[in-house]
Coordinates of all heavy atoms in Angstrom, one line a residue:
M1 N 0.8 -1.2 0.0 CA 0.0 0.0 0.0 C 0.9 1.3 0.0 O 0.7 2.1 -0.9 CB -0.9 0.0 1.2 CG -1.8 1.2 1.3 SD -3.0 1.0 2.6 CE -4.5 1.2 1.7
I2 N 1.8 1.4 1.0 CA 2.7 2.5 1.1 C 3.9 2.1 1.9 O 3.8 1.3 2.8 CB 2.0 3.7 1.8 CG1 2.9 5.0 1.7 CG2 1.6 3.4 3.2 CD1 2.3 6.3 2.2
T3 N 5.1 2.6 1.5 CA 6.3 2.2 2.2 C 6.7 3.4 3.1 O 6.2 4.6 2.9 CB 7.5 1.9 1.2 OG1 7.8 3.1 0.5 CG2 7.1 0.8 0.3
A4 N 7.5 3.1 4.0 CA 8.0 4.2 4.9 C 8.8 5.3 4.1 O 8.6 6.5 4.4 CB 8.9 3.6 6.0
G5 N 9.5 4.8 3.1 CA 10.2 5.8 2.3 C 9.3 6.7 1.5 O 9.6 7.9 1.3
Q6 N 8.2 6.1 1.0 CA 7.2 6.9 0.3 C 6.6 8.0 1.2 O 6.4 9.1 0.8 CB 6.1 6.0 -0.3 CG 6.5 5.3 -1.5 CD 5.4 4.4 -2.0 OE1 4.8 3.6 -1.3 NE2 5.0 4.6 -3.3
M7 N 6.3 7.6 2.5 CA 5.8 8.6 3.4 C 6.8 9.7 3.6 O 6.3 10.9 3.6 CB 5.4 7.9 4.7 CG 4.2 7.1 4.7 SD 3.7 6.4 6.3 CE 3.4 7.9 7.3
R8 N 8.0 9.4 3.9 CA 9.0 10.4 4.1 C 9.2 11.3 2.9 O 9.3 12.5 3.0 CB 10.3 9.8 4.5 CG 10.3 9.2 5.9 CD 11.6 8.7 6.4 NE 12.3 7.7 5.6 CZ 12.1 6.4 5.7 NH1 11.4 5.9 6.6 NH2 12.7 5.6 4.8
A9 N 9.2 10.7 1.7 CA 9.4 11.4 0.4 C 8.2 12.3 0.2 O 8.3 13.5 -0.2 CB 9.6 10.5 -0.7
A10 N 7.0 11.8 0.5 CA 5.8 12.6 0.3 C 5.8 13.8 1.2 O 5.4 14.9 0.8 CB 4.5 11.7 0.6
R11 N 6.2 13.6 2.5 CA 6.3 14.8 3.4 C 7.3 15.8 2.9 O 7.0 17.0 2.9 CB 6.6 14.3 4.8 CG 5.5 13.7 5.6 CD 5.8 13.6 7.0 NE 7.1 13.0 7.4 CZ 8.2 13.6 7.8 NH1 8.2 14.9 7.8 NH2 9.3 13.0 8.1
A12 N 8.4 15.3 2.4 CA 9.4 16.2 1.9 C 8.9 17.0 0.7 O 9.1 18.2 0.6 CB 10.7 15.4 1.5
L13 N 8.2 16.4 -0.3 CA 7.6 17.1 -1.4 C 6.6 18.1 -1.0 O 6.5 19.2 -1.6 CB 7.0 16.1 -2.4 CG 7.9 15.2 -3.2 CD1 7.2 14.1 -3.9 CD2 8.7 16.1 -4.2
L14 N 5.9 17.8 0.1 CA 4.9 18.8 0.5 C 5.5 19.8 1.5 O 4.8 20.8 1.7 CB 3.8 18.0 1.3 CG 2.9 17.1 0.4 CD1 2.0 16.3 1.3 CD2 2.1 17.9 -0.6
G15 N 6.7 19.6 2.0 CA 7.3 20.5 2.9 C 6.6 20.5 4.2 O 6.5 21.6 4.9
I16 N 6.2 19.3 4.7 CA 5.5 19.3 6.0 C 6.2 18.3 6.9 O 7.0 17.5 6.5 CB 4.0 18.8 5.8 CG1 3.9 17.4 5.2 CG2 3.2 19.8 5.0 CD1 2.6 16.7 5.2
D17 N 6.0 18.5 8.2 CA 6.6 17.6 9.2 C 5.6 16.5 9.6 O 4.5 16.5 9.1 CB 7.1 18.4 10.4 CG 6.0 19.2 11.1 OD1 4.8 18.9 10.9 OD2 6.3 20.0 12.0
Q18 N 6.1 15.6 10.5 CA 5.2 14.5 10.9 C 4.0 15.0 11.7 O 2.9 14.4 11.5 CB 6.0 13.6 11.9 CG 7.1 12.8 11.1 CD 7.9 11.9 12.1 OE1 8.1 12.3 13.2 NE2 8.4 10.9 11.5
K19 N 4.1 16.1 12.4 CA 2.9 16.6 13.1 C 1.9 17.1 12.1 O 0.7 16.8 12.3 CB 3.4 17.8 14.0 CG 2.2 18.4 14.8 CD 2.7 19.5 15.7 CE 1.5 20.0 16.5 NZ 1.5 21.4 16.8
M20 N 2.2 17.7 11.1 CA 1.3 18.2 10.1 C 0.6 17.0 9.4 O -0.6 17.0 9.2 CB 2.0 19.1 9.1 CG 1.0 19.6 8.0 SD -0.4 20.6 8.6 CE 0.4 22.1 9.1
L21 N 1.4 16.0 9.0 CA 0.8 14.8 8.4 C -0.2 14.1 9.4 O -1.3 13.7 8.9 CB 1.8 13.8 8.0 CG 1.3 12.5 7.3 CD1 0.4 12.9 6.1 CD2 2.5 11.7 6.9
A22 N 0.1 14.1 10.6 CA -0.8 13.5 11.6 C -2.1 14.3 11.7 O -3.2 13.7 11.7 CB -0.1 13.5 13.0
E23 N -2.0 15.6 11.7 CA -3.2 16.5 11.7 C -4.0 16.3 10.4 O -5.2 16.2 10.5 CB -2.8 17.9 11.9 CG -2.2 18.3 13.2 CD -1.7 19.7 13.3 OE1 -1.8 20.5 12.4 OE2 -1.1 20.0 14.4
M24 N -3.3 16.2 9.3 CA -4.0 16.1 8.0 C -4.8 14.8 7.9 O -5.8 14.7 7.3 CB -3.0 16.2 6.8 CG -2.4 17.5 6.6 SD -1.0 17.5 5.5 CE -1.6 16.6 4.1
S25 N -4.2 13.7 8.5 CA -4.8 12.4 8.4 C -5.7 12.0 9.6 O -6.4 11.0 9.5 CB -3.7 11.3 8.2 OG -2.8 11.4 9.3
G26 N -5.6 12.7 10.7 CA -6.4 12.4 11.8 C -5.8 11.2 12.6 O -6.6 10.5 13.3
V27 N -4.5 11.0 12.5 CA -3.9 9.9 13.3 C -2.8 10.6 14.2 O -2.5 11.8 14.0 CB -3.2 8.8 12.5 CG1 -4.3 8.2 11.6 CG2 -2.1 9.4 11.6
S28 N -2.3 9.9 15.2 CA -1.4 10.5 16.2 C 0.0 10.6 15.6 O 0.4 9.9 14.7 CB -1.4 9.7 17.5 OG -0.7 8.4 17.2
V29 N 0.8 11.5 16.2 CA 2.2 11.7 15.8 C 3.0 10.4 16.0 O 3.7 10.0 15.2 CB 2.8 12.9 16.5 CG1 4.3 13.0 16.2 CG2 2.1 14.2 16.0
P30 N 2.8 9.8 17.2 CA 3.6 8.5 17.4 C 3.2 7.4 16.3 O 4.1 6.6 16.0 CB 3.1 8.0 18.8 CG 2.7 9.3 19.5 CD 2.1 10.2 18.4
T31 N 2.0 7.4 15.8 CA 1.6 6.5 14.8 C 2.4 6.8 13.5 O 2.9 5.9 12.9 CB 0.1 6.5 14.6 OG1 -0.6 6.1 15.8 CG2 -0.3 5.6 13.4
I32 N 2.4 8.1 13.2 CA 3.2 8.5 12.0 C 4.7 8.1 12.1 O 5.3 7.6 11.2 CB 3.0 10.0 11.7 CG1 1.6 10.3 11.4 CG2 4.0 10.4 10.6 CD1 1.0 9.8 10.1
Q33 N 5.2 8.3 13.3 CA 6.6 8.0 13.6 C 6.9 6.5 13.5 O 7.9 6.1 12.9 CB 7.0 8.5 15.0 CG 7.1 10.0 15.1 CD 7.2 10.4 16.6 OE1 6.8 9.7 17.5 NE2 7.7 11.6 16.7
R34 N 5.9 5.7 14.0 CA 6.1 4.2 13.9 C 6.0 3.8 12.4 O 6.8 2.9 12.0 CB 5.0 3.5 14.7 CG 5.3 3.3 16.1 CD 4.4 2.3 16.8 NE 3.0 2.7 16.7 CZ 2.3 3.6 17.4 NH1 3.0 4.2 18.4 NH2 1.0 3.8 17.3
M35 N 5.1 4.4 11.7 CA 4.9 4.0 10.2 C 6.2 4.4 9.5 O 6.7 3.6 8.7 CB 3.8 4.8 9.6 CG 2.4 4.4 10.1 SD 1.2 5.4 9.3 CE -0.2 4.3 9.4
E36 N 6.8 5.5 9.7 CA 8.0 5.9 9.0 C 9.2 5.2 9.5 O 10.2 5.2 8.7 CB 8.2 7.5 9.1 CG 7.2 8.2 8.3 CD 7.5 9.7 8.2 OE1 8.5 10.2 8.8 OE2 6.7 10.4 7.6
A37 N 9.2 4.6 10.6 CA 10.3 3.8 11.1 C 10.3 2.3 10.6 O 11.2 1.6 10.8 CB 10.4 3.8 12.6
S38 N 9.2 2.0 9.9 CA 9.0 0.6 9.4 C 10.1 0.3 8.3 O 10.6 1.2 7.7 CB 7.6 0.5 8.7 OG 6.6 0.7 9.6
Q39 N 10.3 -1.0 8.1 CA 11.2 -1.4 7.1 C 10.3 -1.9 5.9 O 9.4 -2.7 6.1 CB 12.1 -2.6 7.5 CG 13.1 -2.2 8.6 CD 14.1 -1.2 8.1 OE1 14.6 -1.3 7.0 NE2 14.4 -0.2 8.9
G40 N 10.5 -1.3 4.7 CA 9.6 -1.7 3.6 C 8.2 -1.2 3.7 O 8.0 0.0 4.1
N41 N 7.2 -2.1 3.4 CA 5.8 -1.7 3.4 C 5.4 -1.4 4.9 O 5.8 -2.1 5.8 CB 4.9 -2.7 2.9 CG 5.0 -2.8 1.4 OD1 5.3 -1.9 0.7 ND2 4.8 -4.0 0.8
V42 N 4.7 -0.3 5.0 CA 4.2 0.1 6.4 C 3.1 -0.9 6.7 O 2.2 -1.2 6.0 CB 3.6 1.5 6.3 CG1 2.9 1.8 7.7 CG2 4.7 2.5 6.0
R43 N 3.2 -1.4 8.0 CA 2.2 -2.4 8.5 C 1.4 -1.7 9.6 O 1.9 -0.8 10.3 CB 2.8 -3.6 9.0 CG 3.4 -4.5 7.9 CD 4.1 -5.7 8.5 NE 4.6 -6.6 7.5 CZ 5.7 -6.4 6.7 NH1 6.3 -5.3 6.8 NH2 6.0 -7.3 5.8
G44 N 0.1 -2.0 9.6 CA -0.7 -1.4 10.7 C -2.1 -1.7 10.4 O -2.5 -2.4 9.5
V45 N -3.0 -1.0 11.1 CA -4.4 -1.1 10.9 C -4.8 -0.5 9.6 O -4.4 0.6 9.2 CB -5.1 -0.3 12.1 CG1 -6.7 -0.4 11.9 CG2 -4.7 -0.9 13.4
V46 N -5.5 -1.2 8.8 CA -5.9 -0.8 7.4 C -6.6 0.6 7.4 O -6.3 1.4 6.6 CB -6.8 -1.9 6.7 CG1 -7.3 -1.4 5.4 CG2 -6.0 -3.2 6.6
D47 N -7.5 0.8 8.4 CA -8.1 2.1 8.5 C -7.2 3.2 8.7 O -7.3 4.3 8.0 CB -9.2 2.1 9.6 CG -10.0 3.3 9.7 OD1 -10.6 3.7 8.6 OD2 -10.1 3.9 10.8
T48 N -6.2 3.0 9.5 CA -5.2 4.1 9.8 C -4.3 4.3 8.5 O -4.1 5.5 8.2 CB -4.3 3.7 11.0 OG1 -5.1 3.4 12.1 CG2 -3.3 4.7 11.3
L49 N -3.9 3.2 7.9 CA -3.1 3.4 6.7 C -3.9 4.1 5.6 O -3.4 5.0 4.9 CB -2.7 2.0 6.1 CG -1.7 1.3 6.9 CD1 -1.5 -0.2 6.4 CD2 -0.3 2.0 6.9
S50 N -5.2 3.8 5.5 CA -6.0 4.5 4.5 C -6.2 5.9 4.8 O -6.2 6.8 3.9 CB -7.4 3.8 4.5 OG -7.4 2.5 4.1
K51 N -6.3 6.3 6.1 CA -6.4 7.7 6.4 C -5.1 8.5 5.9 O -5.2 9.6 5.4 CB -6.5 7.9 7.9 CG -7.9 7.5 8.4 CD -8.0 7.7 9.9 CE -9.3 7.3 10.5 NZ -9.4 7.5 11.9
V52 N -4.0 7.9 6.2 CA -2.7 8.6 5.8 C -2.6 8.7 4.2 O -2.3 9.7 3.7 CB -1.5 7.8 6.3 CG1 -0.2 8.4 5.8 CG2 -1.5 7.9 7.8
V53 N -2.9 7.6 3.5 CA -2.9 7.6 2.1 C -3.9 8.6 1.5 O -3.6 9.4 0.6 CB -3.2 6.2 1.5 CG1 -3.4 6.2 0.0 CG2 -2.0 5.3 1.9
E54 N -5.1 8.7 2.0 CA -6.1 9.6 1.6 C -5.7 11.0 1.8 O -5.9 11.9 1.0 CB -7.5 9.3 2.2 CG -8.1 8.0 1.7 CD -9.3 7.5 2.5 OE1 -9.7 8.3 3.4 OE2 -9.7 6.4 2.3
A55 N -5.1 11.3 3.0 CA -4.6 12.6 3.3 C -3.5 13.1 2.3 O -3.5 14.2 1.8 CB -4.1 12.7 4.7
L56 N -2.6 12.2 2.0 CA -1.6 12.5 1.0 C -2.2 12.7 -0.4 O -1.7 13.6 -1.1 CB -0.5 11.4 1.0 CG 0.3 11.2 2.2 CD1 1.2 10.0 2.2 CD2 1.2 12.4 2.5
D57 N -3.1 11.9 -0.7 CA -3.8 12.1 -2.0 C -4.5 13.4 -2.1 O -4.4 14.1 -3.1 CB -4.8 11.0 -2.2 CG -5.5 11.0 -3.6 OD1 -4.8 10.9 -4.6 OD2 -6.7 11.3 -3.6
R58 N -5.2 13.8 -1.1 CA -5.9 15.2 -1.0 C -4.9 16.3 -1.2 O -5.2 17.3 -1.7 CB -6.7 15.3 0.2 CG -8.0 14.6 0.3 CD -8.9 15.0 1.5 NE -8.2 14.9 2.8 CZ -8.1 13.9 3.5 NH1 -8.7 12.7 3.2 NH2 -7.5 13.9 4.7
A59 N -3.7 16.1 -0.6 CA -2.6 17.1 -0.7 C -1.9 17.1 -2.0 O -1.0 18.0 -2.3 CB -1.6 16.8 0.4
G60 N -2.2 16.2 -2.9 CA -1.6 16.2 -4.3 C -0.5 15.1 -4.5 O 0.2 15.2 -5.5
I61 N -0.4 14.2 -3.6 CA 0.7 13.2 -3.7 C 0.1 12.0 -4.5 O -0.9 11.4 -4.1 CB 1.2 12.8 -2.3 CG1 1.9 13.9 -1.7 CG2 2.1 11.5 -2.5 CD1 3.2 14.4 -2.4
E62 N 0.8 11.5 -5.5 CA 0.5 10.3 -6.2 C 1.5 9.2 -5.7 O 2.7 9.4 -6.0 CB 0.5 10.5 -7.7 CG 0.3 9.2 -8.5 CD 0.6 9.3 -10.0 OE1 1.0 10.4 -10.4 OE2 0.3 8.4 -10.7
L63 N 1.0 8.2 -5.1 CA 1.8 7.1 -4.7 C 2.0 6.1 -5.8 O 1.0 5.7 -6.4 CB 1.2 6.4 -3.5 CG 1.1 7.2 -2.2 CD1 0.4 6.5 -1.1 CD2 2.5 7.6 -1.7
I64 N 3.2 5.8 -6.2 CA 3.5 5.0 -7.4 C 4.0 3.6 -6.9 O 5.1 3.6 -6.2 CB 4.5 5.6 -8.3 CG1 4.0 7.0 -8.7 CG2 4.7 4.8 -9.6 CD1 5.1 7.9 -9.4
G65 N 3.4 2.6 -7.2 CA 3.8 1.2 -6.9 C 4.9 0.7 -7.8 O 5.1 1.3 -8.9
D66 N 5.5 -0.4 -7.4 CA 6.5 -1.1 -8.3 C 5.9 -1.4 -9.6 O 4.8 -1.9 -9.7 CB 7.0 -2.4 -7.6 CG 7.8 -2.1 -6.4 OD1 8.4 -1.0 -6.3 OD2 7.9 -3.0 -5.6
Q67 N 6.6 -1.1 -10.7 CA 6.2 -1.5 -12.1 C 4.9 -0.8 -12.5 O 4.3 -1.3 -13.4 CB 6.2 -3.0 -12.2 CG 7.4 -3.7 -11.8 CD 8.7 -3.3 -12.5 OE1 8.6 -3.1 -13.7 NE2 9.8 -3.2 -11.8
V68 N 4.5 0.3 -11.9 CA 3.3 1.0 -12.2 C 3.6 2.3 -12.8 O 4.4 3.1 -12.2 CB 2.4 1.2 -11.0 CG1 1.1 1.9 -11.3 CG2 2.0 -0.2 -10.4
P69 N 3.1 2.6 -14.0 CA 3.4 3.9 -14.6 C 2.7 5.0 -13.9 O 1.6 4.8 -13.3 CB 2.8 3.8 -16.1 CG 1.8 2.7 -16.0 CD 2.3 1.8 -14.9
S70 N 3.2 6.2 -13.9 CA 2.6 7.3 -13.2 C 1.6 8.0 -14.2 O 1.9 8.2 -15.4 CB 3.7 8.4 -12.8 OG 3.0 9.5 -12.4
M71 N 0.4 8.3 -13.7 CA -0.6 8.9 -14.6 C -0.5 10.4 -14.4 O -1.2 11.1 -15.2 CB -2.0 8.4 -14.2 CG -2.1 6.9 -14.4 SD -1.5 6.2 -15.9 CE -2.8 6.7 -17.0
G72 N 0.2 10.9 -13.4 CA 0.2 12.4 -13.2 C 1.2 13.1 -14.1 O 2.0 12.5 -14.8
A73 N 1.0 14.4 -14.2 CA 1.9 15.2 -15.0 C 2.8 16.0 -14.2 O 3.7 16.7 -14.8 CB 1.0 16.1 -15.9
G74 N 2.7 16.0 -12.9 CA 3.6 16.8 -12.0 C 4.9 16.1 -11.8 O 5.2 15.0 -12.3
R75 N 5.7 16.8 -11.0 CA 7.0 16.2 -10.6 C 6.8 15.1 -9.6 O 5.8 15.1 -8.9 CB 7.9 17.3 -10.0 CG 8.3 18.4 -11.0 CD 9.1 19.4 -10.4 NE 9.3 20.5 -11.3 CZ 10.4 21.2 -11.3 NH1 11.3 21.0 -10.5 NH2 10.5 22.1 -12.3
G76 N 7.8 14.2 -9.5 CA 7.7 13.1 -8.6 C 9.0 12.5 -8.3 O 10.0 12.9 -8.9
V77 N 9.0 11.4 -7.5 CA 10.2 10.7 -7.2 C 9.9 9.2 -7.3 O 8.9 8.8 -6.9 CB 10.6 11.1 -5.7 CG1 11.8 10.3 -5.3 CG2 10.9 12.5 -5.6
R78 N 10.9 8.5 -7.9 CA 10.8 7.1 -7.9 C 12.2 6.5 -7.7 O 13.2 7.0 -8.3 CB 10.3 6.6 -9.3 CG 10.2 5.1 -9.4 CD 9.6 4.7 -10.7 NE 8.2 5.0 -10.7 CZ 7.3 4.2 -11.2 NH1 7.6 3.2 -11.9 NH2 6.0 4.6 -11.1
L79 N 12.3 5.5 -6.8 CA 13.6 4.9 -6.6 C 13.9 3.9 -7.6 O 13.0 3.0 -7.9 CB 13.6 4.3 -5.2 CG 14.9 3.7 -4.7 CD1 15.9 4.8 -4.5 CD2 14.6 3.0 -3.3
K80 N 15.1 3.9 -8.2 CA 15.4 2.9 -9.2 C 15.6 1.6 -8.6 O 15.8 1.5 -7.4 CB 16.8 3.3 -9.9 CG 16.7 4.5 -10.7 CD 18.0 4.8 -11.3 CE 18.0 6.1 -12.1 NZ 19.3 6.4 -12.7
E81 N 15.5 0.5 -9.3 CA 15.8 -0.8 -8.8 C 17.2 -0.9 -8.3 O 18.1 -0.3 -8.8 CB 15.6 -1.9 -9.9 CG 14.1 -2.0 -10.4 CD 13.9 -3.1 -11.4 OE1 14.7 -4.1 -11.3 OE2 13.1 -2.9 -12.3
A82 N 17.4 -1.7 -7.3 CA 18.7 -1.8 -6.6 C 19.8 -2.1 -7.5 O 20.9 -1.5 -7.4 CB 18.6 -2.9 -5.5
E83 N 19.7 -2.9 -8.5 CA 20.8 -3.2 -9.4 C 21.1 -2.1 -10.4 O 22.2 -2.1 -11.0 CB 20.6 -4.6 -10.2 CG 19.4 -4.6 -11.1 CD 18.1 -5.0 -10.4 OE1 18.1 -5.2 -9.2 OE2 17.1 -5.2 -11.1
T84 N 20.3 -1.1 -10.6 CA 20.5 0.0 -11.5 C 21.0 1.2 -10.8 O 21.4 2.2 -11.4 CB 19.3 0.3 -12.3 OG1 18.2 0.8 -11.4 CG2 18.8 -0.8 -13.1
R85 N 21.0 1.2 -9.4 CA 21.5 2.4 -8.7 C 23.0 2.3 -8.6 O 23.6 1.3 -8.6 CB 21.0 2.3 -7.3 CG 19.5 2.8 -7.2 CD 19.0 2.9 -5.8 NE 18.5 1.6 -5.4 CZ 18.3 1.2 -4.2 NH1 18.6 2.0 -3.2 NH2 17.7 0.0 -4.0
H86 N 23.6 3.5 -8.5 CA 25.0 3.7 -8.4 C 25.4 4.2 -7.1 O 24.7 5.1 -6.5 CB 25.6 4.5 -9.6 CG 25.4 4.0 -10.9 ND1 26.1 2.9 -11.4 CD2 24.5 4.3 -11.9 CE1 25.6 2.6 -12.6 NE2 24.7 3.5 -12.9
S87 N 26.5 3.9 -6.6 CA 26.9 4.3 -5.3 C 27.5 5.7 -5.3 O 27.7 6.4 -4.3 CB 28.0 3.4 -4.7 OG 29.1 3.4 -5.5
G88 N 27.8 6.3 -6.5 CA 28.4 7.6 -6.6 C 29.9 7.5 -6.6 O 30.6 8.5 -6.7
N89 N 30.5 6.3 -6.4 CA 31.9 6.2 -6.4 C 32.4 5.6 -7.7 O 33.5 5.0 -7.7 CB 32.3 5.2 -5.2 CG 32.0 5.8 -3.9 OD1 32.0 7.0 -3.7 ND2 31.6 4.9 -3.0
D90 N 31.6 5.7 -8.8 CA 32.0 5.2 -10.1 C 33.1 6.0 -10.7 O 33.2 7.2 -10.7 CB 30.8 5.1 -11.0 CG 29.8 4.2 -10.5 OD1 30.1 3.3 -9.6 OD2 28.6 4.3 -10.9

């Protein structure tokens, strides 16, 4: 549904902190903190995850899944597959 990295990137694109995302989604700050500390896909109560995803959607964030084309025309971020990333020491 959403990864911890997507949540952090979405907040960065919106220029908001964890407190603001909590207010926008109606969940607690500790819940947002736990979600963002997850490894990989965020796990939790489906209703809570849905609130966060819907809040990000209302704010203009398009969450892009693996191997899914983006339908939006705005700017965005997508992480390359691990084998195509470079360490910068090339």
Side-chain angles (χ1 to χ4, degrees):
M1 180 176 237
I2 186 172
T3 67
Q6 283 178 306
M7 283 184 67
R8 291 188 299 271
R11 283 195 310 99
L13 287 171
L14 294 172
I16 62 172
D17 59 12
Q18 290 176 331
K19 182 179 182 213
M20 179 60 70
L21 180 55
E23 291 172 6
M24 290 168 51
S25 60
V27 302
S28 70
V29 173
T31 297
I32 297 294
Q33 291 170 336
R34 276 192 305 276
M35 289 175 155
E36 289 191 0
S38 300
Q39 295 295 319
N41 287 332
V42 174
R43 289 178 175 73
V45 178
V46 173
D47 184 53
T48 303
L49 291 170
S50 294
K51 287 179 181 180
V52 172
V53 170
E54 289 168 8
L56 293 172
D57 183 64
R58 285 191 307 272
I61 295 296
E62 176 188 5
L63 297 173
I64 306 168
D66 290 337
Q67 307 301 319
V68 176
S70 172
M71 303 311 286
R75 295 179 185 210
V77 177
R78 178 177 289 216
L79 187 63
K80 293 180 182 180
E81 293 182 34
E83 61 271 7
T84 62
R85 283 186 268 162
H86 297 286
S87 65
N89 296 326
D90 298 339

